Amino acid sequence: MTLLGLDPEVVATARRLAARAAEPVVSIAKAHTTVAVERATLRLAGITGADTGHRAGDVPWVNRVVDTVRDHCGLDHGVVLPAFHALREHDLGSLTELAEATAAGQIQYRIPTGRAADRAARTGHTAIAKGLRTVDRNRAQRDKLVTRFGNPPRRPWIYLIVATGDIDEDVVQAANAARAGADIIAVIRSTGQSLLDYVPEGATHHGFAGTYATQENFRIMRAAMDDVSKEVGRYIRVTNYASGLCMPEIAVLAGLQRLDMMLNDSMYGILFRDINPIRTFVDQRFSRQVHARAGIVINTGEDNYLTTADAVDAAHTVTVSQLLNEHFAHEAGLPDELLGLGHAFEINPAVPESFRLELAHALLARELFPDAPLKWMPPTKHMTGDVFAGYQLDGFFNLAGVLTGQSILLVGMMTEAVVTPFLSDRDLALRNVRYVLDAASGLAEDFRPAPDGFIVKRAHQVLGEAVDLLDRIVRDGLLDAIADGTFGLMKRPPDAGKGADGVIAKADGYRNPAADLLEGK
């Protein structure tokens, strides 16, 4: 049963326009690769570790190989052909040995042809398939553990952030948060990691306002939360961030270490990190294919638009982005149940009827995407430092999440914009969430907006504005719309931004067994 009475024809038109707007970008993504996609491919094939003896600091072996291949023969045919041809040509036992020989200047890469090319592709296919079997086993293991321990008993699931900079301290805080009621633990990345064109190695203890995303840190947190899952009697999910210049690599590492959710939205990197649009759309497609294979729920970043644009005036841009993200996700193989579309409670509380407006926007998202695990984000823009008003505002946010059937609720902090939360702040915030869920968990069944009332009319208005904007984007092009500042007021042209030099057009003979396997070829 729907509460908003949305016109099915209008909804169908919105999805049809979103598909038309997205298709040119999908075509661009299919026709290009990036240095990050090629590095992610080698990670699936088994390369780990770093060159610790470089004068500039530790350089991951995947960076060493991909950069050298690009210097020697380019990447328009992919990294697999030259890498696996060199592996055979030099009679080396592993890709790590190949990387070490590369660093020593002992390898001259070239593009093989004929039988040599076929042989290199087959060898690469075998190695990458082995890596994907690890991803498959992790997905099966997650299913077993969910069956054994159970999911959280009610929705929305409670999502809480830890961000100490030290993975060992993160584990302590995450475990205590789970014991206090958190269902999902998100480890925020160190400031600026999204702009690093490499993934750090090993356990880290020195992040800035967050902890570095590394394969070892993923392993440590997942193992710790498995232990806590046994203790609390429900499966505790772990989240990190597959965004920025290393989006595909981090997606692979998440699959290899059984993470459960990943922030994964190219628009966030484009708008708020000034990453080249082409680079990040290519990276996003590959990373979402990995997430689909791994059974990882993605979270998208529409909530961020409302931190720079007005949450009332720009509400329709959130809906447009959600529809575009839905198409991009489906095209990459992600089903609705893995599509955690984002939105947020960011209307200025001084606006008359602000809570009713929030309910209209949240309910519109819920009814447009009934099977998606929507991620509901707390107020940040209008948190002033008045912790009492902030605590009240978070309570209204929690109530809106319950009333509109949101799937994932990120715990709001009353000290937002004041300090990095203390443990006591998190405890109070969790109490706020628990109170609302305990007191009003069934209230949604009594919530029936008047058919011709304020909430229903506002939802229809936002959807109509979204259709109009999608129609304009179809005419002008999505990349031009991004360049014009349509989303979040940030203007990002397609030929600018960080990482643009890491985009490569594919040659006719391009080979990537990872892409083939992920697409079911």
Side-chain angles (χ1 to χ4, degrees):
M1 181 183 68
T2 66
L3 300 180
L4 296 176
L6 299 177
D7 185 340
E9 281 300 314
V10 175
V11 174
T13 296
R15 285 198 160 91
R16 190 163 53 247
L17 289 170
R20 288 177 60 193
E23 273 311 309
V25 174
V26 172
S27 296
I28 290 171
K30 288 180 176 180
H32 292 80
T33 186
T34 71
V35 290
V37 167
E38 301 304 322
R39 294 194 302 253
T41 299
L42 289 183
R43 288 186 181 275
L44 278 172
I47 287 191
T48 59
D51 180 358
T52 58
H54 195 268
R55 62 182 181 278
D58 295 356
V59 177
W61 287 129
V62 287
N63 288 66
R64 177 72 74 216
V65 172
V66 168
D67 291 348
T68 306
V69 168
R70 188 176 192 185
D71 288 343
H72 289 182
C73 57
L75 287 172
D76 55 335
H77 287 78
V79 75
V80 167
L81 291 182
F84 281 91
H85 179 65
L87 193 68
R88 177 185 176 88
E89 196 172 42
H90 292 270
D91 195 25
L92 296 169
S94 71
L95 287 171
T96 301
E97 289 181 28
L98 177 67
E100 291 170 348
T102 300
Q106 299 168 358
I107 306 294
Q108 179 65 42
Y109 289 101
R110 61 186 180 85
I111 306 295
T113 58
R115 290 183 180 179
D118 292 339
R119 188 163 48 237
R122 285 195 303 270
T123 308
H125 182 282
T126 300
I128 291 163
K130 183 179 179 181
L132 285 173
R133 284 196 295 274
T134 298
V135 173
D136 295 340
R137 285 194 298 271
N138 283 336
R139 181 173 186 165
Q141 177 67 3
R142 181 192 301 114
D143 292 342
K144 289 179 182 178
L145 291 174
V146 169
T147 300
R148 178 181 172 187
F149 299 128
N151 278 316
R154 61 188 176 187
R155 290 288 186 115
W157 291 349
I158 301 172
Y159 178 117
L160 190 134
I161 289 170
V162 296
T164 71
D166 183 334
I167 187 60
D168 295 334
E169 182 61 27
D170 286 344
V171 164
V172 174
Q173 293 201 10
N176 287 327
R179 295 182 186 111
D183 305 310
I184 303 164
I185 300 298
V187 183
I188 282 198
R189 291 187 302 180
S190 181
T191 298
Q193 185 176 352
S194 59
L195 300 181
L196 298 180
D197 215 346
Y198 67 93
V199 179
E201 285 285 331
T204 64
H205 309 281
H206 56 273
F208 304 95
T211 303
Y212 286 103
T214 75
Q215 184 168 4
E216 179 62 8
N217 284 348
F218 288 178
R219 186 198 66 77
I220 290 170
M221 183 58 75
R222 181 63 272 167
M225 292 306 98
D226 283 349
D227 290 341
V228 174
S229 296
K230 298 174 190 175
E231 178 186 335
V232 301
R234 66 188 189 282
Y235 183 70
I236 303 300
R237 286 166 168 81
V238 176
T239 300
N240 212 283
Y241 293 72
S243 59
L245 292 173
C246 292
M247 183 189 291
E249 292 178 85
I250 294 176
V252 165
L253 298 180
L256 292 173
Q257 298 301 327
R258 192 171 38 89
L259 269 60
D260 308 287
M261 295 184 182
M262 296 298 283
L263 280 288
N264 183 235
D265 188 350
S266 65
M267 291 292 284
Y268 175 79
I270 294 167
L271 299 180
F272 300 101
R273 292 296 180 266
D274 192 21
I275 295 174
N276 174 257
I278 304 299
R279 166 74 177 263
T280 196
F281 275 121
V282 176
D283 286 347
Q284 176 181 267
R285 184 171 186 269
F286 185 90
S287 64
R288 289 188 175 183
Q289 289 175 321
V290 173
H291 289 139
R293 181 71 174 249
I296 290 173
V297 175
I298 68 163
N299 296 155
T300 62
E302 283 81 7
D303 55 285
N304 293 286
Y305 303 171
L306 304 183
T307 63
T308 51
D310 182 82
V312 177
D313 295 341
H316 63 295
T317 69
V318 170
T319 303
V320 167
S321 181
Q322 289 169 335
L323 288 161
L324 290 167
N325 254 319
E326 178 189 53
H327 181 81
F328 285 131
H330 286 172
E331 190 279 329
L334 279 162
D336 286 340
E337 59 266 26
L338 298 181
L339 184 51
L341 297 168
H343 57 142
F345 189 98
E346 288 285 16
I347 296 174
N348 187 339
V351 170
E353 306 290 0
S354 64
F355 187 64
R356 295 170 81 191
L357 288 167
E358 295 282 17
L359 291 176
H361 298 172
L363 197 56
L364 175 61
R366 180 72 284 168
E367 296 207 351
L368 282 176
F369 310 100
D371 299 318
L374 298 182
K375 182 183 176 188
W376 183 225
M377 299 290 285
T380 59
K381 184 176 181 179
H382 298 288
M383 299 293 270
T384 63
D386 180 341
V387 295
F388 302 104
Y391 201 67
Q392 181 183 44
L393 198 58
D394 283 335
F396 273 75
F397 158 75
N398 296 333
L399 181 60
V402 169
L403 280 177
T404 60
Q406 303 304 306
S407 307
I408 300 165
L409 184 147
L410 194 151
V411 177
M413 295 292 158
M414 61 285 191
T415 50
E416 180 75 41
V418 182
V419 295
T420 299
F422 295 109
L423 291 176
S424 56
D425 299 337
R426 288 201 181 97
D427 181 62
L428 288 169
L430 282 167
R431 289 188 195 183
N432 192 330
V433 176
R434 289 199 305 269
Y435 169 71
V436 172
L437 264 61
D438 289 341
S441 61
L443 189 58
E445 70 181 51
D446 303 313
F447 177 47
R448 297 290 180 273
D452 295 318
F454 181 93
I455 290 174
V456 171
K457 287 180 178 178
R458 174 59 183 171
H460 283 249
Q461 177 190 354
V462 172
L463 179 58
E465 291 174 354
V467 169
D468 291 343
L469 177 55
L470 281 166
D471 188 55
R472 177 171 70 79
I473 292 173
V474 168
R475 292 195 310 271
D476 298 344
L478 177 55
L479 293 176
D480 285 343
I482 294 170
D484 290 341
T486 299
F487 301 98
L489 303 178
M490 312 297 279
K491 297 181 178 182
R492 303 301 190 196
D495 57 352
K498 302 172 181 70
D501 59 348
V503 181
I504 303 100
K506 294 177 181 177
D508 289 340
Y510 176 83
R511 301 269 193 105
N512 188 333
D516 293 341
L517 287 163
L518 291 169
E519 293 184 13
K521 294 181 181 177

